[in-house]
Amino acid sequence: LSEINYSHDKKLTLNGITLRIESGHPHLLVGPSGAGKSTLLSLLLRLDDPEDGGISLDGLPINNVRLSDLRHAIGIVLQESTVLPLTLRENIEYTASDSLSDLEMGQIIKIACLESVVDSLPNGLDTDLGVDGGLLSTGQRQQVALGRALMIKPSVLMLDEPTAGVSPIVMDELFDHIIKVKKTNVAILMVEQNAKQALSISDRGYVLVTGENRYSGTGKDLLHDPRVRSSFLGG
């Protein structure tokens, strides 16, 4: 993104936001409620358009990218991911059918991606693809959602507070999996309430306050910045 400006109902929401999200690196967005984090994600997904500035994907302005291609390029895990009341296999196949051809879906399900989804599931589910998705816990649903997002082989993985409502053990598992995803050369953008732990695995972080980049730097630098610690990390 470059100098993004966006306003709604004459109230400026984002002002001069600049981000660079690189392949193979986790990036974190942190800030108080109303800072513009969700608005920024909606712009990246083309759910809305900025008034000024530009957003590019692999060097191409996203307004020139077909929406179907954009949906294939960006995998997203929402705070409350929807897992349908179907079996895990049916959930995975349903997700893939939205963005892949029948041939691609068949090949992927038979070969590698289904295995990677299974590997990301919590213990006890790894061999039971017939389990009802509607019976999964919040943490288990997030694990399935992460696997589904990766199934389309995205260029960018967006995570909108993926650890909200999960146990500390599952949170650690999710962060461990994000580290593994980093090694596949996928660009990762997180909005995360557990900022301390998220910064510890992030190569770069951005702190948004009232729609502006207040601080930015490596995850390590922000984690140890006294201004960031006192305002956003609980001291």
Side-chain angles (χ1 to χ4, degrees), residues 4-8 11-14 39 43 48-51:
I4 293 299
N5 296 289
Y6 171 83
S7 62
H8 180 66
K11 181 180 179 181
L12 189 65
T13 306
L14 299 178
T39 299
L43 294 175
D48 212 336
D49 296 313
E51 290 187 345

Side-chain angles (χ1 to χ4, degrees), residues 21-202:
I21 303 167
E22 299 179 342
S23 299
H25 296 281
H27 306 74
L28 176 68
L29 279 178
V30 65
S33 178
K37 302 184 298 295
S38 296
T39 299
L40 185 55
L41 293 186
S42 72
L43 294 175
L44 291 169
L45 292 168
R46 276 185 61 187
L47 301 177
D48 212 336
D49 296 313
E51 290 187 345
D52 298 298
I55 304 174
S56 297
L57 177 67
D58 294 331
L60 185 67
I62 63 170
N63 285 338
N64 296 339
V65 179
R66 291 186 305 177
L67 282 176
S68 59
D69 292 338
L70 189 66
R71 299 292 178 262
H72 190 279
I74 300 177
I76 185 164
V77 177
L78 300 173
Q79 181 176 345
E80 296 182 4
S81 295
T82 301
V83 175
L84 301 172
L86 306 170
T87 67
L88 289 188
R89 177 179 289 276
E90 290 167 336
N91 266 280
I92 295 165
E93 292 176 347
Y94 180 85
T95 302
S97 66
D98 273 349
S99 54
L100 303 174
S101 69
D102 290 342
L103 178 60
E104 288 175 319
M105 184 179 72
Q107 290 173 334
I108 285 175
I109 289 175
K110 290 178 181 177
I111 307 174
C113 278
L114 183 56
E115 294 177 3
S116 70
V117 173
V118 170
D119 287 343
S120 76
L121 298 180
N123 293 334
L125 294 176
D126 54 350
T127 59
D128 189 6
L129 290 177
V131 69
D132 186 342
L135 300 178
L136 300 181
S137 68
T138 300
Q140 291 168 338
R141 288 197 298 271
Q142 288 300 79
Q143 297 239 17
V144 173
L146 180 57
R148 292 188 314 189
L150 293 172
M151 191 165 184
I152 61 174
K153 297 289 186 180
S155 298
V156 181
L157 175 65
M158 287 188 191
L159 305 167
D160 188 6
E161 299 196 14
T163 70
V166 307
S167 69
I169 292 176
V170 174
M171 180 177 69
D172 289 342
E173 290 177 351
L174 285 168
F175 280 129
D176 286 344
H177 200 68
I178 290 169
I179 294 172
K180 294 178 183 177
V181 173
K182 167 185 174 179
K183 298 176 182 178
T184 67
N185 210 35
V186 174
I188 302 169
L189 177 62
M190 292 184 285
V191 172
E192 178 53 54
Q193 61 176 355
N194 296 293
K196 285 185 179 179
Q197 190 162 352
L199 280 172
S200 71
I201 67 166
S202 297

